[in-house]
Amino acid sequence: MPGHVYITQATPEHLLEVGGNVAGNLGYNIQQEGPWTLRLQKGSLAASIFVGAFVAYCDFKLNVIFPGDGTAHLHLERNTPWWTGVIGVKRVKSRAKELADAYGNEMVRQGVPIIQRNDF
């Protein structure tokens, strides 16, 4: 899946907390899928099927990865709801970028050292 990643010098626990708090403040439904994975959802799948591009159905996965080199990665994957057409996919892509930007802003506000941000 396409998405965004921040490479930081934060603790994995801190990144998971930031990930949940920021998404919750933006109205995402949050479900813990694993020890370092959150599923973030916003919008309705059924509505996106029937209404198409007018509803952005966001079904994102947030992973906190710590490769053992002293860094921790905040990895946000977005869905691509092909049934909504180009406009619907662009709306979801925009929402993912907004969420990723909000993560970056919150980490900067908290003084978390960000080494790099990549979009993929």
Side-chain angles (χ1 to χ4, degrees):
M1 278 194 214
H4 310 274
V5 63
Y6 282 96
I7 301 170
T8 73
Q9 291 183 326
T11 65
E13 296 82 7
H14 187 82
L15 286 184
L16 193 63
E17 181 181 329
V18 167
N21 289 342
V22 169
N25 289 341
L26 293 176
Y28 285 85
N29 180 31
I30 303 164
Q31 297 173 344
Q32 185 102 28
E33 281 200 340
W36 302 105
T37 304
L38 300 176
R39 180 164 299 277
L40 312 172
Q41 295 177 316
K42 191 174 189 179
S44 166
L45 174 60
S48 75
I49 291 171
F50 292 115
V51 183
F54 298 107
V55 174
Y57 173 62
C58 300
D59 185 16
F60 303 153
K61 185 180 281 189
L62 180 74
N63 292 299
V64 175
I65 302 165
F66 37 105
D69 62 358
T71 65
H73 303 195
L74 184 77
H75 192 269
L76 178 67
E77 295 178 3
R78 68 171 172 83
N79 60 321
T80 306
W82 54 268
W83 61 90
T84 62
V86 174
I87 295 171
V89 171
K90 285 180 81 174
R91 286 184 184 197
V92 170
K93 186 177 180 180
S94 177
R95 294 272 169 86
K97 185 179 180 324
E98 289 171 2
L99 181 57
D101 290 345
Y103 285 142
N105 291 340
E106 181 62 16
M107 287 187 282
V108 166
R109 188 188 72 75
Q110 293 184 12
V112 172
I114 298 172
I115 298 169
Q116 188 175 3
R117 175 185 167 159
N118 294 322
D119 301 328
F120 57 94

